[in-house]
């Protein structure tokens, strides 16, 4: 088992030590090398193996994703790629600007979602894959399954749309498969997967079975992507020069709850049908509803994508992201 796989199971003290991540960075030097020119480009003077966080970028680069620019809607009409999309997709892209998400109904046929569910189930049974330390998430199942990889994680039509939405080519970064709802509290992915310039992350959420109000559906807060990005400097993370604060994630989620109350954000549940895909903006607040029917399954897959040519890191754990080898530019 690689150190990284071992760490996915581990929940103890070592998780809080920045030095452990530095060691892991050194062991994965090949996957960090591409950061050297990026650090130079964005004026960052530090080792590619060092801890990395938003405090290292006191002034952000002027590059703002086009979807977040004030004249994004007007720019669309002059965009030839946009003109090539169907009328239905054009409307969804327009709504993405204001809502921070879009839903592609019935994107995957039932045979494909069924085949993926069977593969997940049989590999879990055979011990060829496993949940990580959360007990709910199966990390990077695409590494175990050509179907998960080619049809879901690297689906050409989705990659094309995601690259359009980010305005840069996307790098498939990570996938998570669930068999039960996550019941995760509201958060923005940008605290976990962060970029400089900010906003260059995007995700797909794929329903592998029908959702109901009681099997822990995904929820989200439309329009919340327009709020400022929350960083570890915005709440009492407990981080020190050498450690990540105890319960840093809980403290972050408390902060998000406060923001939701303050802005009176309206929650919406995604009662998805099998095969539906939801695409969310890097800063859209979302999470998993409580499972009201004990034992009810809610099979789904989440895929996260960074953009090429930006610095990718993990603000919560203050470390550079280890991009997959094929993503190296
Ligand atoms: O599927 C869910 O319940 C939530 C997943 C999620 O929040 C995430 O992957 O960031």
């Amino acid at each position: 088992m690689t150190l990284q796989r071992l760490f996915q199971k581990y929940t103890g003290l070592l998780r809080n030590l920045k030095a452990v991540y530095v060691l892991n960075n050194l062991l994965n030097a090949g996957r960090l090398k591409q950061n050297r020119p990026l650090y130079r480009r964005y004026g960052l003077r530090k080792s590619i193996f060092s801890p990395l966080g938003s405090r290292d970028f006191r002034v952000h680069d002027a590059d703002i994703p086009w979807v977040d620019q004030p004249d994004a809607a007007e720019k669309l009409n002059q965009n030839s790629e946009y003109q090539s999309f169907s009328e239905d997709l054009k409307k969804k892209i327009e709504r993405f600007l204001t809502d921070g998400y879009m839903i592609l109904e019935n994107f995957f046929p039932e045979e494909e979602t069924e085949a993926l569910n069977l593969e997940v189930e049989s590999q879990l049974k055979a011990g060829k894959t496993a949940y990580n330390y959360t007990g709910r998430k199966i990390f990077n199942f695409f590494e175990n399954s050509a179907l998960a990889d080619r049809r879901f994680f690297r689906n050409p039509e989705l990659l094309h749309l995601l690259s359009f939405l980010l305005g840069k080519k996307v790098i498939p970064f990570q996938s998570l498969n669930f068999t039960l709802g996550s019941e995760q509290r509201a958060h923005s992915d940008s605290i976990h997967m962060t970029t400089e310039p900010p906003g260059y992350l995007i995700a797909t959420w794929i329903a592998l079975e029908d959702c109901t109000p009681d099997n822990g559906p995904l929820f989200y807060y439309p329009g919340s992507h327009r709020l400022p990005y929350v960083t570890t400097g915005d709440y009492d993370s407990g981080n020190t020069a050498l450690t990540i604060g105890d319960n840093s994630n809980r403290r972050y989620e408390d902060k998000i709850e406060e923001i939701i109350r303050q802005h009176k954000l309206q929650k919406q549940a995604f009662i998805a049908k099998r095969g539906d895909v939801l695409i969310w903006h890097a800063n859209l607040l979302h999470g998993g509803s409580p499972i009201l029917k004990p034992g009810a399954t809610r099979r789904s897959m989440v895929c996260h994508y960074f953009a090429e040519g930006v610095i990718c890191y993990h603000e919560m754990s203050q470390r550079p992201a280890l991009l997959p080898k094929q993503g190296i530019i």
Side-chain angles (χ1 to χ4, degrees):
M1 199 188 262
T2 64
L3 190 62
Q4 218 154 348
R5 289 247 159 107
L6 203 75
F7 221 52
Q8 281 174 13
K9 288 258 159 204
Y10 178 78
T11 51
L13 175 75
L14 292 180
R15 264 197 175 268
N16 288 11
L17 299 181
K18 289 184 183 176
V20 171
Y21 295 115
V22 173
L23 177 66
N24 196 41
N25 292 343
L26 288 164
L27 292 173
N28 287 284
R31 291 164 72 177
L32 288 172
K33 265 196 227 147
Q34 82 274 14
N35 277 348
R36 279 211 182 93
L38 291 176
Y39 280 23
R40 271 198 299 278
R41 186 191 305 170
Y42 293 107
L44 183 61
R45 291 212 183 103
K46 71 181 332 188
S47 158
I48 54 169
F49 304 114
S50 298
L52 185 63
S54 58
R55 282 160 55 108
D56 290 305
F57 307 103
R58 289 193 187 275
V59 180
H60 288 304
D61 189 83
D63 178 359
I64 296 174
W66 73 267
V67 291
D68 298 328
Q69 295 175 15
D71 58 350
E74 291 90 85
K75 275 198 185 136
L76 268 181
N77 290 320
Q78 295 133 36
N79 186 306
S80 56
E81 203 178 347
Y82 172 73
Q83 299 301 342
S84 72
F85 291 128
S86 70
E87 289 309 311
D88 181 47
L89 189 52
K90 280 187 196 167
K91 281 200 196 95
K92 289 182 197 290
I93 294 170
E94 272 173 46
R95 294 274 312 264
F96 185 85
L97 303 179
T98 50
D99 295 347
Y101 72 94
M102 74 165 74
I103 295 166
L104 307 174
E105 296 86 0
N106 205 14
F107 187 89
F108 286 102
E110 188 165 335
E111 311 85 76
E112 287 184 344
T113 53
E114 187 54 20
L116 183 56
N117 288 339
L118 290 174
E119 275 198 35
V120 170
E121 199 179 304
S122 73
Q123 291 206 29
L124 277 171
K125 264 198 195 124
K128 290 186 182 157
T129 192
Y131 300 102
N132 77 345
Y133 67 93
T134 62
R136 298 280 169 101
K137 298 176 181 177
I138 302 169
F139 248 82
N140 292 350
F141 189 71
F142 70 89
E143 289 174 352
N144 295 30
S145 153
L147 173 71
D149 187 28
R150 300 210 190 114
R151 288 299 304 150
F152 292 84
F153 190 51
R154 264 177 258 271
N155 179 288
E157 203 181 323
L158 286 176
L159 292 182
H160 178 74
L161 178 58
L162 298 174
S163 295
F164 176 79
L165 291 171
L166 281 191
K168 295 185 197 289
K169 190 170 175 225
V170 290
I171 302 173
F173 175 61
Q174 176 214 76
S175 74
L176 303 171
N177 276 76
F178 296 85
T179 54
L180 297 176
S182 70
E183 300 187 285
Q184 204 173 334
R185 291 170 69 197
H187 62 279
S188 147
D189 281 352
S190 59
I191 193 77
H192 299 292
M193 284 157 283
T194 323
T195 62
E196 175 58 33
Y200 281 111
L201 175 106
I202 197 158
T204 56
W205 186 99
I206 303 163
L208 299 176
E209 70 177 299
D210 289 352
C211 290
T212 65
D214 55 12
N215 73 352
L218 180 80
F219 66 80
Y220 49 85
Y221 290 89
S224 56
H225 65 300
R226 295 224 159 144
L227 293 170
Y229 284 92
V230 173
T231 72
T232 53
D234 297 313
Y235 62 97
D236 175 22
S237 69
N239 291 355
T240 68
L242 300 178
T243 59
I244 305 301
D246 265 345
N247 303 316
S248 175
N249 193 44
R250 184 185 49 68
R251 296 167 191 233
Y252 163 77
E253 289 173 345
D254 289 347
K255 174 71 185 176
I256 294 297
E257 218 166 273
E258 189 186 307
I259 291 173
I260 289 169
R261 269 199 306 274
Q262 199 181 9
H263 292 271
K264 298 189 173 60
L265 298 179
Q266 296 303 310
K267 189 189 222 177
Q268 213 159 296
F270 182 34
I271 309 299
K273 287 277 171 214
R274 175 201 275 245
D276 288 352
V277 177
L278 188 142
I279 298 174
W280 67 63
H281 180 284
N283 202 31
L284 185 83
L285 296 178
H286 65 276
S289 310
I291 301 170
L292 303 177
K293 187 172 161 204
T297 58
R298 196 221 63 187
R299 296 179 183 88
S300 58
M301 179 167 178
V302 182
C303 304
H304 292 108
Y305 304 83
F306 280 123
E308 255 183 23
V310 301
I311 298 177
C312 306
Y313 66 103
H314 304 281
E315 170 66 356
M316 177 74 74
S317 51
Q318 303 276 291
R319 62 199 161 97
L322 297 170
L323 298 183
K325 287 226 165 65
Q326 63 269 31
I328 288 175
I329 38 179

